[in-house]
Amino acid sequence: MTHIYEEVSRTFNEYLLVPNLTTKDCTPDKITLYTPLVSFKKGVEQPALKLNIPFASAIMQSVSNDSLGIALARCGGISFIFQSQTIASQVEMVKKVKKYKAGFVTSTTNLKPTDTLADVLELKKKTGHSTMPVTDDGLPKGKLMGIVTSKDYRVSRTSLETKVSEFMTPIDSLVIGTKGISLTAANDLLWEHKINCLPIVNETGHLRNLVFRKDYDEHKEHPYELLDSEKRLIVGAGINTKDYKERVPALLEAGADILCIDSSDGYSEWQKDTLEYIKSTFGESAKVGAGNVVDKEGFLYLVKAGADFVKVGIGGGSICITREQKGIGRGQATAIIEVAKARDEYFRETGIYVPICSDGGIVHDYHTILALAMGADFIMMGRYFARFDESPNKTIRLGKNFVKEYWGEGSNRAKNWERYEMGEKGGYLKFEEGVDSYVPYAGKLKDTLDITLAKIKSTMCSCGSKTIEELKNTARLTLVSATSIIEGGAHDVILKDKEYT
């Protein structure tokens, strides 16, 4: 007989947190939001990758490109660059995130002394960089001859045919750092000499890195930056179960810190094959998440196949219509609660802790902390991040308001059929599982994200928890009725127009 779950499938809207005692030392400034990203032996070792805030951006064309990846990593979270593009273009996005770092930068915009001002302007237009090292061969590791900045020429008065060697700032006029210098010492030189860029050279005078003053300033404004051991931003990348033998090596070579299989239903042999290939070919150093699942069986299947984290959720995304089209899925709250229980049981049996990611179902900011309280280690969101300047989708005016385009990976617009394995050669999905829509434009990512994080920290104080792990262990949840949801919002008053307040 068909197995029928007696428990009702519930959403985040059906729960509220009940406050615990708030102690005097439980204040927002003492809350930490660190959370594991990959599996590890709890109590024995530290996870190879952690998040400084429990947020990841969804593997979607309209959400996660290199600019969003940079912005979110600088705030402490991680983006998974969308995989529904060519391998070459996805690799280039990963490289752009890895090259944007606070610290020792490998120069990607270089000149030869024989280049002209026309070459300078063309390179600036292409890369957006105004500081360009001049090396003997024009390569990133060539012998440093000088530097060109926007202060070295005037387009209105300098001929486009003028050689770079004639207007560059030569090396004997530059302040130079030597290979092996610490980042602190390099920053000290920047401040001492009131310069914006410090070239780092080796003992033979060949360029190795650049250190920028702006990186020091910006790092102070982003204390939770998610960085690797080389001070580069951490970034993830989505993969599928079709071209993974070509895509995975290219992404790892490009510097992707972690991969994630992108699928609406992850409880499949195709994901098992993909996971086993990655682990057998690249070893445990190659980290990869899998999903999506909604129950214990799906979680254990992927973990035993080698998943370093598991995504939970089917059909809960704002643009996802999988439940409507196929009749499969589960309320996000119920799915998280069951999978979290399975994760904890697996840990008790094996000593290995496998993080779970809540993917979908987030409507309000408080839903994020409900997901964490229910057991999620971090949260993946699409609609939330699609609203910001840094997302790749277009900002347009719709009536009196500005909006951003937002479409699902299962929509005709995305044409991302690689995430839907049909089990046949040349097979493709014959119907949509996502819609094409708009979301309200919300400006810069950091401005809104700071507010969301402030809400989370405040709620954790009300729950008497200083860490996410403590929240998961001590939180108390209550079911709510439809009328109590109404009671929880503004009611029985005439709201003032915000324009006049």
Side-chain angles (χ1 to χ4, degrees):
M1 284 183 63
T2 296
H3 176 77
I4 299 176
Y5 290 85
E6 296 297 333
E7 181 187 356
V8 174
S9 180
R10 300 189 181 278
T11 67
F12 293 134
N13 271 332
E14 297 175 79
Y15 288 92
L16 287 175
L17 284 156
V18 176
N20 285 328
L21 175 66
T22 302
T23 57
K24 292 179 181 179
D25 65 340
C26 191
T27 54
D29 60 304
K30 296 179 181 178
I31 300 296
T32 59
L33 297 177
Y34 302 112
T35 191
L37 178 59
V38 296
S39 57
F40 65 106
K41 292 181 180 179
K42 202 170 184 179
V44 177
E45 62 185 14
Q46 292 295 312
L49 292 171
K50 291 182 180 180
L51 296 176
N52 292 333
I53 63 170
F55 286 165
S57 65
I59 311 170
M60 299 175 68
Q61 294 174 16
S62 55
V63 179
S64 295
N65 66 343
D66 51 285
S67 59
L68 198 284
I70 291 168
L72 184 51
R74 302 206 69 202
C75 292
I78 189 170
S79 289
F80 287 86
I81 305 298
F82 69 91
Q83 59 84 19
S84 53
Q85 58 180 317
T86 66
I87 295 174
S89 60
Q90 189 183 21
V91 161
E92 187 59 29
M93 286 187 181
V94 169
K95 287 182 176 179
K96 286 181 179 179
V97 179
K98 298 306 291 185
K99 288 174 182 176
Y100 187 102
K101 61 177 182 177
F104 296 103
V105 178
T106 300
S107 177
T108 58
T109 307
N110 306 285
L111 298 163
K112 300 189 298 293
T114 54
D115 287 333
T116 65
L117 177 58
D119 296 319
V120 172
L121 298 178
E122 180 62 27
L123 196 56
K124 182 178 180 180
K125 180 180 179 181
K126 180 181 178 181
T127 66
H129 301 159
S130 58
T131 298
M132 305 176 190
V134 182
T135 58
D136 58 347
D137 54 9
L139 297 177
K141 302 295 184 181
K143 190 168 184 178
L144 184 65
M145 310 298 290
I147 276 185
V148 170
T149 72
S150 56
K151 297 178 181 179
D152 291 316
Y153 58 85
R154 294 177 67 180
V155 177
S156 61
R157 296 191 180 184
T158 307
S159 169
L160 294 179
E161 300 305 315
T162 306
K163 301 293 185 184
V164 164
S165 58
E166 296 180 33
F167 60 84
M168 70 181 185
T169 301
I171 188 169
D172 55 9
S173 298
L174 295 173
V175 178
I176 302 293
T178 56
K179 185 181 178 183
I181 189 174
S182 69
L183 185 58
T184 299
N187 283 320
D188 288 342
L189 283 176
L190 287 171
W191 285 90
E192 180 183 344
H193 295 279
K194 300 180 181 180
I195 55 177
N196 294 319
C197 176
L198 179 73
I200 308 296
V201 300
N202 65 7
E203 60 279 0
T204 60
H206 286 75
L207 182 64
R208 283 298 174 260
N209 299 104
L210 301 173
V211 179
F212 290 96
R213 183 189 186 109
K214 69 178 180 64
D215 285 338
Y216 174 85
D217 294 335
E218 291 182 5
H219 180 65
K220 294 301 181 182
E221 297 175 5
H222 296 79
Y224 300 116
E225 277 184 324
L226 195 63
L227 305 173
D228 65 17
S229 60
E230 297 179 35
K231 302 294 184 181
R232 299 175 301 176
L233 296 176
I234 286 177
V235 64
I239 60 174
N240 59 61
T241 57
K242 289 190 175 181
D243 67 4
Y244 58 89
K245 291 185 179 180
E246 296 76 39
R247 191 174 293 268
V248 169
L251 290 170
L252 293 177
E253 177 66 23
D257 298 279
I258 186 169
L259 307 172
C260 184
I261 304 172
D262 179 30
S263 175
S264 62
D265 177 12
Y267 191 8
S268 73
E269 291 184 340
W270 292 292
Q271 289 218 7
K272 180 175 183 288
D273 290 345
T274 304
L275 289 166
E276 290 179 343
Y277 162 78
I278 293 172
K279 292 299 182 178
S280 63
T281 305
F282 303 100
E284 287 302 317
S285 62
K287 302 301 181 182
V288 56
N292 287 16
V293 301
V294 292
D295 60 9
K296 175 181 180 178
E297 288 77 13
F299 169 80
L300 292 176
Y301 183 81
L302 294 178
V303 168
K304 291 174 182 178
D308 290 294
F309 74 84
V310 175
K311 283 206 296 159
V312 180
I314 295 178
S318 60
I319 40 71
C320 183
I321 53 173
T322 297
R323 297 179 194 175
E324 180 182 314
Q325 292 283 59
K326 296 172 64 175
I328 66 168
R330 202 174 195 186
Q332 189 66 7
T334 298
I336 289 294
I337 291 169
E338 177 173 326
V339 176
K341 182 179 179 181
R343 175 205 57 207
D344 294 343
E345 290 175 351
Y346 183 80
F347 164 65
R348 286 193 292 271
E349 293 171 0
T350 66
I352 299 173
Y353 186 88
V354 182
I356 61 174
C357 167
S358 176
D359 181 18
I362 302 296
V363 179
H364 305 292
D365 281 351
Y366 81 89
H367 287 170
T368 60
I369 195 162
L370 284 177
L372 296 172
M374 290 171 181
D377 293 281
F378 61 100
I379 300 148
M380 180 172 282
M381 296 183 288
R383 181 190 63 84
Y384 181 93
F385 291 111
R387 303 173 297 160
F388 301 125
D389 287 329
E390 295 86 353
S391 67
N393 44 347
K394 291 181 180 178
T395 302
I396 61 176
R397 185 163 187 160
L398 193 64
K400 295 182 179 181
N401 302 307
F402 284 98
V403 297
K404 296 205 75 171
E405 296 177 317
Y406 179 47
W407 60 96
E409 290 300 290
S411 66
N412 276 325
R413 179 172 182 174
K415 294 183 174 60
N416 182 13
W417 307 132
E418 289 87 352
R419 73 200 299 265
Y420 302 97
E421 180 62 68
M422 294 293 101
E424 57 186 275
K425 187 175 182 179
Y428 61 91
L429 201 65
K430 297 176 175 61
F431 56 90
E432 290 183 286
E433 287 192 34
V435 299
D436 200 340
S437 63
Y438 301 108
V439 290
Y441 168 67
K444 293 289 184 184
L445 179 149
K446 189 176 186 301
D447 294 341
T448 298
L449 183 59
D450 283 348
I451 295 172
T452 300
L453 295 175
K455 291 180 183 179
I456 290 176
K457 290 182 177 181
S458 179
T459 304
M460 288 177 66
C461 289
S462 295
C463 293
S465 303
K466 294 181 182 178
T467 66
I468 292 174
E469 184 173 10
E470 188 176 348
L471 176 72
K472 288 187 290 188
N473 291 330
T474 63
R476 298 186 294 166
L477 292 163
T478 182
L479 285 167
V480 297
S481 67
T483 53
S484 68
I485 293 175
I486 297 173
E487 180 186 58
H491 60 90
D492 301 313
V493 294
I494 300 173
L495 294 177
K496 294 181 180 180
D497 189 326
K498 291 184 179 179
E499 292 183 5
Y500 301 102
T501 58

